[in-house]
Each structure stands twice: as structure tokens, then as C-alpha cells.
Amino acid sequence: MYPNQTQLNQTLKEYFGYDTFRPLQLDIINSIFEGKDNLVIMPTGGGKSICYQLPAILLPGITLVISPLIALMKDQVDGLHANGISAAFINSSQTANEHQDIFQKITDGKIKLLYVAPESLSFLDTIFSDIEISLIAIDEAHCISSWGHDFRPAYTQLGYLKNKFSNTPLIALTATADKATRQDICNQLNIPNATQHLASFDRKNLSLEVRPGNKRIEQIIDFLKRETNNCGIIYCLSRKTTEMLAEKLQSQGYKAEAYHAGIEHQKRSRIQEQFINDTIQIVCATVAFGMGIDKSNVRWVIHYNLPKNIEGYYQEIGRAGRDGLPSSTLLFHSYADVVQLQKFANTSGNQEVQMAKLERMKQYADSLSCRRKILLSYFGELIQEDCGNCDVCKNPPTFIDGTIIAQKALSTVARIKEQEPIGTVIDTLRGAQNAAVYDKGYNHLKTYGIGKEISWRDWQQYIIQLINQGYLEIAFHENNKLKLTTLSRHILFEGEKVSLAHLQELEKAKQVNIEQVSKAKASSLFEKLRILRLEIAKEAGIPAYQIFNDATLKEMEKVRPMSDEEFLQINGVGRQKMQNYGYQFIKEIINFTSEKKKKRKTSANKGNTHKETFTLYQQGLSIEEIAIERKLAESTIFSHIMKLYENGENIDLNQFINKADIDAIKKAKIELENPDTLKPYFEYFQEAISYNTIKIALAILEERAT
């Protein structure tokens, strides 16, 4: 008997802590109970795991989960245990005795989900006939397709599972797959008639930003100043770059480590564990890092270099903000990145496909229109409105008449007979005196030096725009030579106008007073709960986000539950977690709220002291008399008077100053050219007029001016 809607909702809340299903989850779960095969394309953080974990709880037998990485399996199993769900994993890192112990638990019906690496499936042949497999889930299913972006040969053996268990529903899941990859997954897994579920790829909580790859390290350090205490990943093309970048960040005081396939396995595992447990803040990694990370509180992802395709880029940025909270992504790109990636593509098995995907990636980076539209359209999802959360939407480019710039560039390409890449074209335009120009006689061309007033970097950006508009193209198969197109003659000979985006200096990151930000964070309830979560996690030996994710803590901060019933209503709080952690978190919330009330009462008392001063002022007492009456310093009473005046109370400042002082300060204001501080006035009068008198005079003069 299939579970009804009420049972499913109760299971969702009890084990996962959520009141409602996300889009498509319920459809997928019902399809599984109907015995159908399914292909699920759902973005990272969209809730893929619940699609098979929830049915596993209610199905009579065991759910077999194929997962590509040991770390990912361990993370998933730890999370299930925290939710009160019985689960285990089998892989090559375990001993024969550990395997035997797990086999016994499976035979005894004590495990609902079993995670297995594709290479370890042979371990299970001996027990397949003795257990009931109710569901098979293939996680990271894109790994089976050579059309995808993380092809793993071990995945190609998985097609036999459907043949062996023909009556068992199979669900394949991945965050990214274009149409060709989706079809390939279904064919290779022998589920050609699988129901395909495509969730929206729109991760609205992720901001998208792309910048030219100039002074990347300086830009990254400025970026990190705005991400105080937040953890993130920086993806790099080369191992050498990861190590260089990690060293640079360490020298700036950041807890950063390099991660790549050349690092010894034990050290890689330790780095990953430290990142998961919030011991280190930043991982500088090649794309080898991340698939095994189920960490929900990654707040930002940076790409130091251009990725090789949009699928990989989308999956990598998807590792930020899995909990749905606002998170940042930043992509750097350069012409050198494109050249390097072309070399990689030329050695791949699908050269033509990989080059085409690289071109789409480059078009995304060079775009001057809403980036989210481009990203979503790649996966077949069209949106009408601009997103408002990418760099182009936030700072739309202004355009200039670039006709003369275009004519100079196109004419130079023509005169060097379309035989040079972009760098030599720019050198010729700028009149460079180097061997590349002189040896080929380009210094004798009519266009030599006609663009020297434009910087090398700006020429590069203008030429990229001309390529994007179709007036130039890069011949990748001819050492990246720039070529004219059929549209070029419209500019050169027919007077067609060209609009180019006006190049402006990148807006400098706003200076952040890190000390003030840290103090503000330290005094927030969210930060108090975060610290408590970390303490509990260390004691339990599991990642902090598996206790509660950041989104759940944010809701606690907003709602402030103070009873078991209220705590259980928070999204992400299931029955097991309420029993395990509810008392500690409720106690922290109550303590924080009580402390805040005390502070508000103190603040209210401060407001009353101003009122007492105002009452005595209304009775006609002078500042000196009020000070005596209230047993306070005259400077304190004066500050009360000025605050009351600024707040709009009926205070006549003229009674505290004579006309001669006002006139003298008015004259000083003109001569000193209206300084922003009081000290220049104090020094101007050689300390003969007090700061209080200066402040009163300036307030009166400002009032007169208005």
C-alpha cells in the first residue's frame, strides 16, 4: 500500500524537519512508489537527496545508492544518522571485518540506505540474492556520460543494474545535464523510458559577477574583506596556481589551503575534513575538489580562471548557498585562459563538442546582458525579466560610438593579412617596439601606432566586444589568428556605426571596517547560535551544518522559539534533532533575549536622562544650574542640550553664546573654507574659544542658512 499525502508530509517533517515539499519532490517520490524509473535534473541545493531518502524510509527493503566519492558517502550517511535514519556505506577504504559487520546489519534489516561506490559493486554480489532492494539511486549521474563534464569510466558498468533488478525502480540524479547528456544517461542506464524531471535551474540566491582577470589577487583580497568569517572555494586551472594563491592568502591572515590531485591522499582528506568542519575558511582547488562536498554554508565561490564549459561552472557555483541564503559568485577570465582551455580541448576525445562548449562559456563571460538569462537558456529555461542579481543588471553598461575604434582594429587585422592573434594586433595598434612587430615589418604599416592613446587592456576589451558582435572571429585551428567576417566590410567600406560598451575602472570594493563588522556579528543571536552549533558538532564529531544549516539558524534568530513546540515548527528541525539539541538552543535563545531586554531598559533610562535635562531647561535654568541640580558635569548637560536641539526640541541656542562669537566663527568658517571638523576652528582662535561655543555657533549658522 502506497503512503498517502499525510504520511509523506509527516515523514518529511519528522525526519528532515520541513513542513512542505519543494517543487517536483512530491511528483518524483510518488513516481517511485508507482514503480517508475526517473531521471532528475535538479540544481545543487534543490533537494535531490530527499527524492530517494524519504521513499527509502517507507519502502520495505533497502535503497542502494551509487555515489562517486568516499567523502560524499560519509557526509550523506552522517547527515542521515543525525536525522535518525539508519544508513551505511561500503567502499575500498574499509576493512573486511567492517564490510562483514555491515553485511550482517543489511541481512538483519537494520539499514535502510546503503551507499556504494561504482567500483565497489562487486562486493555486494554475494548478498544481492539475500536482500530486498526496493530502490536504486544513481547520484551524480552525469558521470556516466562522455558528453558531460565529469566523465568517470567506472560509471559505465552501471547499466547492468536495471537488467539484474528489472522490477526495481531506478532514479538517476544530477545537478547539470544538457539535452544530449540527459539522453545518454538514460540510454547507458537502460532506462530509456524514464520520466524526466527538470527543476528550475534558477538559483536566485546566487549573485553572478564576472570580471577581467587583471590583478586577480588584489581583487580577491578586497572581495574577502566583505566576506568576514564566511567560507568559500576558489577554483583554479592549475595545481601551481592553487598553491601560489593559498600562500598569498595565508600571508594575509586567512585560513586557506591548496587542494589538487597531486597532493598526497591523506593530506587531501584532512583538508577536506577541515573545510567541512569550519576549521579552515578557504580552499584553493582544482575542479578535483567539490563533488564530495555537501556543505550547506559555503557563502561564496570564485573562479580564478575561466571554466571549460557552462555545465561545470554551474555545478561549481552551485556549491555556494545550498541552504538558500544569499551567496556570491565571482568569475575572472582572460584571453590567456581561453588559449589554455583550447589546448585542453584539443587533447580531449570530443574535440569538436568541447570547443563548442568552451565558446559558449566564453560568450557568457564576455556578455553585456543579464548573465542569468544566458545561464538558464543554456539549460533550456527561458526567463523574460532581467534577474537584477548579476553584475550586468546591477551596473548596466553605457555605450559609446565605437565606429572609429572598430575601423582602426579591423583595418589593422586586414593589413596584417589576418595572420596574427589578438596580442600582436594590439601591439601593432599601439605602436609597440618589440620583436613580434619589428621582425615582420608591421612597424611600416599605415595603421602602426594609430591606437596608442588607448591602453593595451582596453584594446583587448574592445576587440572582444567586436568578436562578440560578429565583426571579428578567432580561428582556433590556426593558432588563434584574428579573422575578418562578412560583417567587417560594413564597418570598413559602408559606413556602418558600431556601439561599444564604455570601459570604466572596476568599482573599488567599499572599505569595510572589519573590526566593527566582527563586533556586530559577535553580538547577534545568529552568531551565538553558530558558536553553540560548532561546539556541539565538535563534541559529536560531525560537521556543524549537519546539526542545523545556516538557514535554520537564521529562522531561529527571527522567530526565537522558547518551547519544544515552537522549536519543532522551525524549518530544518525534525523530531530527532529537537530531542538531541532543542534544550541547548532554546536555552541560548532565552538567555540572549533576556540580555537584550536588559540593554533596552538601560537605553531607555538614557533617554529619560535627556528628558530630565529638557524639563529643567524649560523651567529657565542655565546649563551650570542644571548641572548642579542633576549632579552631572556641565559638558554632559551641554551634550544633552545639543542632542535635544538636533532631535527638534524647542531649544534657543542664542542664549548660550554672544553675537561677537557668532560673527567671529562665521568669518573663520569662510577663511577656513568650511572644514568638516571642529579642530581647525579651535586652532584658528588659538584655543581662546571653546569647542562647545564653536559647536553652538555652527549650529546657529546652519539654521540661518536654511
Side-chain angles (χ1 to χ4, degrees):
M1 182 176 176
Y2 300 143
N4 58 34
Q5 180 73 55
T6 301
Q7 289 174 296
L8 293 176
N9 286 338
Q10 288 173 344
T11 305
L12 180 69
K13 181 58 184 176
E14 180 171 351
Y15 289 97
F16 301 98
Y18 299 109
D19 295 316
T20 57
F21 287 96
R22 293 187 186 183
L24 294 184
Q25 283 181 333
L26 191 57
D27 291 341
I28 295 165
I29 289 168
N30 284 329
S31 181
I32 288 172
F33 282 113
E34 291 168 5
K36 296 178 181 177
D37 298 323
N38 292 270
L39 173 62
V40 176
I41 315 297
M42 190 177 285
T44 304
K48 292 188 296 295
S49 298
I50 285 179
C51 294
Y52 62 85
Q53 289 175 350
L54 190 147
I57 297 168
L58 300 174
L59 287 167
I62 195 169
T63 291
L64 183 65
V65 185
I66 313 300
S67 185
L69 294 175
I70 292 173
L72 180 58
M73 285 187 258
K74 183 179 184 305
D75 204 42
Q76 292 268 17
V77 169
D78 284 345
L80 288 165
H81 288 168
N83 286 333
I85 302 168
S86 59
F89 60 83
I90 288 180
N91 58 51
S92 56
S93 70
Q94 297 163 315
T95 65
N97 287 338
E98 286 175 318
H99 286 162
Q100 194 57 46
D101 182 53
I102 294 169
F103 292 161
Q104 188 61 52
K105 287 180 179 178
I106 293 170
T107 303
D108 294 343
K110 294 180 179 179
I111 290 176
K112 296 301 293 181
L113 289 105
L114 179 65
Y115 285 75
V116 187
E119 296 86 353
S120 302
L121 278 172
S122 58
F123 292 167
L124 300 178
D125 284 343
T126 55
I127 62 167
F128 269 156
S129 57
D130 298 326
I131 60 174
E132 179 184 0
I133 296 180
S134 296
L135 175 64
I136 299 172
I138 313 291
D139 204 6
E140 307 291 353
H142 60 275
C143 293
I144 202 171
S145 175
S146 60
W147 295 93
H149 58 285
D150 277 317
F151 174 61
R152 297 186 176 222
Y155 260 63
T156 57
Q157 66 182 287
L158 301 180
Y160 88 95
L161 286 170
K162 191 61 185 175
N163 295 335
K164 188 175 182 69
F165 303 99
S166 56
N167 295 322
T168 300
L170 188 149
I171 178 171
L173 310 100
T174 180
T176 51
D178 57 17
K179 189 174 182 180
T181 305
R182 295 197 295 268
Q183 191 57 53
D184 199 26
I185 291 171
C186 291
N187 291 339
Q188 293 210 46
L189 290 176
N190 291 322
I191 52 170
N193 298 317
T195 304
Q196 295 193 19
H197 305 269
L198 273 70
S200 171
F201 284 86
D202 191 1
R203 293 280 305 281
K204 292 183 173 66
N205 64 313
L206 297 183
S207 67
L208 306 171
E209 183 177 5
V210 179
R211 300 182 191 174
N214 307 305
K215 299 182 179 178
R216 300 181 209 210
I217 294 175
E218 290 180 23
Q219 292 194 61
I220 288 171
I221 291 172
D222 282 341
F223 175 91
L224 293 178
K225 287 177 183 176
R226 305 195 304 271
E227 296 290 339
T228 310
N229 296 331
N230 288 334
C231 60
I233 306 169
I234 305 177
Y235 285 108
C236 309
L237 275 181
S238 72
R239 300 176 180 182
K240 184 178 178 181
T241 304
T242 66
E243 293 172 354
M244 174 276 295
L245 188 54
E247 288 178 9
K248 292 280 188 184
L249 294 177
Q250 287 166 7
S251 70
Q252 294 291 318
Y254 291 100
K255 295 177 181 177
E257 292 288 348
Y259 183 104
H260 57 72
I263 295 174
E264 186 264 328
H265 172 73
Q266 211 166 14
K267 184 177 179 181
R268 285 206 316 271
S269 298
R270 187 175 72 251
I271 291 169
Q272 184 158 305
E273 197 73 19
Q274 288 174 325
F275 183 67
I276 287 173
N277 291 311
D278 295 335
T279 308
I280 60 175
Q281 179 187 0
I282 302 166
V283 172
C284 306
T286 58
V287 292
F289 180 82
M291 189 186 293
I293 297 297
D294 198 23
K295 185 175 170 68
S296 64
N297 63 337
V298 175
R299 290 273 76 87
W300 54 267
V301 168
I302 294 175
H303 282 83
Y304 192 86
N305 305 99
L306 188 75
K308 64 182 180 180
N309 54 51
I310 287 180
E311 291 102 322
Y313 168 70
Y314 180 81
Q315 187 167 61
E316 285 148 20
I317 63 172
R319 286 160 191 153
R322 292 169 65 100
D323 52 15
L325 294 181
S327 302
S328 303
T329 73
L330 172 59
L331 163 65
F332 292 107
H333 71 106
S334 69
Y335 181 71
D337 293 341
V338 176
V339 173
Q340 182 65 47
L341 289 167
Q342 288 165 2
K343 292 178 182 177
F344 293 161
N346 285 332
T347 61
S348 68
N350 289 321
Q351 180 180 344
E352 187 176 342
V353 173
Q354 300 309 322
M355 288 292 281
K357 291 192 172 190
L358 172 58
E359 180 61 23
R360 289 292 296 274
M361 186 71 240
K362 191 174 77 67
Q363 289 168 357
Y364 170 83
D366 293 335
S367 174
L368 296 173
S369 59
C370 174
R371 296 196 193 279
R372 201 174 307 271
K373 276 186 174 179
I374 299 169
L375 201 57
L376 295 180
S377 69
Y378 182 85
F379 295 106
E381 184 175 346
L382 304 178
I383 58 173
Q384 297 296 320
E385 301 294 328
D386 289 347
C387 74
N389 197 23
C390 72
D391 54 336
V392 179
C393 288
K394 290 177 179 177
N395 298 290
T398 57
F399 290 89
I400 60 171
D401 183 350
T403 306
I404 293 176
I405 293 173
Q407 288 171 343
K408 288 179 179 180
L410 299 179
S411 180
T412 300
V413 172
R415 289 176 188 279
I416 62 177
K417 299 180 180 178
E418 304 173 87
Q419 292 300 302
E420 299 294 346
I422 189 171
T424 306
V425 171
I426 295 173
D427 282 347
T428 304
L429 281 162
R430 286 183 42 77
Q433 300 177 16
N434 58 34
V437 172
Y438 274 58
D439 289 353
K440 297 178 181 179
Y442 294 154
N443 55 310
H444 299 302
L445 295 177
K446 189 175 180 180
T447 56
Y448 176 74
I450 61 170
K452 59 186 176 184
E453 76 283 358
I454 298 175
S455 72
W456 204 98
R457 189 183 72 176
D458 284 357
W459 263 121
Q460 184 184 46
Q461 296 303 314
Y462 284 136
I463 289 175
I464 287 171
Q465 289 186 51
L466 291 172
I467 293 169
N468 290 340
Q469 293 186 43
Y471 297 117
L472 286 170
E473 62 184 5
I474 300 174
F476 296 118
H477 59 294
E478 295 182 38
N479 297 317
N480 306 302
K481 293 174 182 176
L482 278 183
K483 301 286 186 179
L484 300 174
T485 70
T486 54
L487 297 179
S488 302
R489 66 177 294 106
H490 299 324
I491 308 300
L492 291 173
F493 308 116
E494 297 174 12
E496 183 172 305
K497 298 292 184 182
V498 178
S499 291
L500 295 173
H502 181 52
L503 302 178
Q504 299 172 329
E505 286 294 322
L506 287 171
E507 182 183 352
K508 292 185 178 179
K510 295 179 180 178
Q511 295 299 311
V512 178
N513 188 322
I514 295 174
E515 186 177 347
Q516 288 182 357
V517 171
S518 299
K519 285 181 180 178
K521 285 189 174 183
S523 64
S524 70
L525 176 56
F526 173 78
E527 189 63 16
K528 299 288 185 187
L529 297 176
R530 196 184 71 83
I531 292 170
L532 172 62
R533 178 182 66 180
L534 187 59
E535 291 171 354
I536 295 172
K538 285 180 177 178
E539 188 175 333
I542 61 175
Y545 62 84
Q546 286 187 352
I547 305 292
F548 295 118
N549 64 31
D550 282 3
T552 298
L553 296 190
K554 286 287 186 184
E555 189 174 341
M556 289 182 197
E557 180 182 44
K558 180 181 178 182
V559 177
R560 304 200 177 182
M562 296 186 187
S563 67
D564 287 357
E565 291 74 19
E566 291 175 350
F567 194 74
L568 195 56
Q569 296 306 308
I570 300 293
N571 262 313
V573 178
R575 182 71 57 183
Q576 184 73 42
K577 287 188 176 181
M578 189 207 62
Q579 292 171 356
N580 290 345
Y581 316 121
Y583 172 77
Q584 291 163 283
F585 279 87
I586 291 171
K587 181 180 177 183
E588 187 68 43
I589 292 166
I590 291 172
N591 289 342
F592 181 88
T593 304
S594 299
E595 189 63 32
K596 280 291 181 183
K597 285 180 179 178
K598 289 179 184 176
K599 289 181 179 179
R600 280 198 295 269
K601 187 174 181 181
T602 302
S603 178
N605 290 336
K606 287 182 178 179
N608 290 334
T609 194
H610 288 78
K611 291 179 182 178
E612 288 179 32
T613 295
F614 187 48
T615 300
L616 294 172
Y617 165 79
Q618 289 177 315
Q619 294 172 8
L621 275 64
S622 67
I623 288 179
E624 182 181 3
E625 291 169 334
I626 296 172
I628 294 171
E629 176 71 22
R630 298 209 56 203
K631 298 179 182 179
L632 295 171
E634 287 186 28
S635 59
T636 302
I637 300 302
F638 176 80
S639 69
H640 290 178
I641 293 293
M642 291 305 297
K643 187 68 176 177
L644 290 163
Y645 173 79
E646 290 167 2
N647 289 342
E649 297 292 355
N650 186 20
I651 302 288
D652 181 11
L653 295 180
N654 288 283
Q655 63 184 287
F656 304 118
I657 189 172
N658 60 53
K659 184 177 183 301
D661 284 343
I662 295 176
D663 292 341
I665 292 168
K666 180 179 180 182
K667 180 183 176 185
K669 184 178 182 182
I670 296 170
E671 292 183 6
L672 294 172
E673 296 181 349
N674 196 19
D676 294 328
T677 62
L678 299 179
K679 189 174 181 180
Y681 292 101
F682 192 60
E683 293 174 346
Y684 176 88
F685 293 112
Q686 298 180 349
E687 305 181 10
I689 297 181
S690 69
Y691 276 109
N692 286 346
T693 302
I694 295 168
K695 189 180 288 187
I696 290 173
L698 291 175
I700 292 171
L701 291 171
E702 184 178 346
E703 184 179 16
R704 289 178 182 175
T706 57

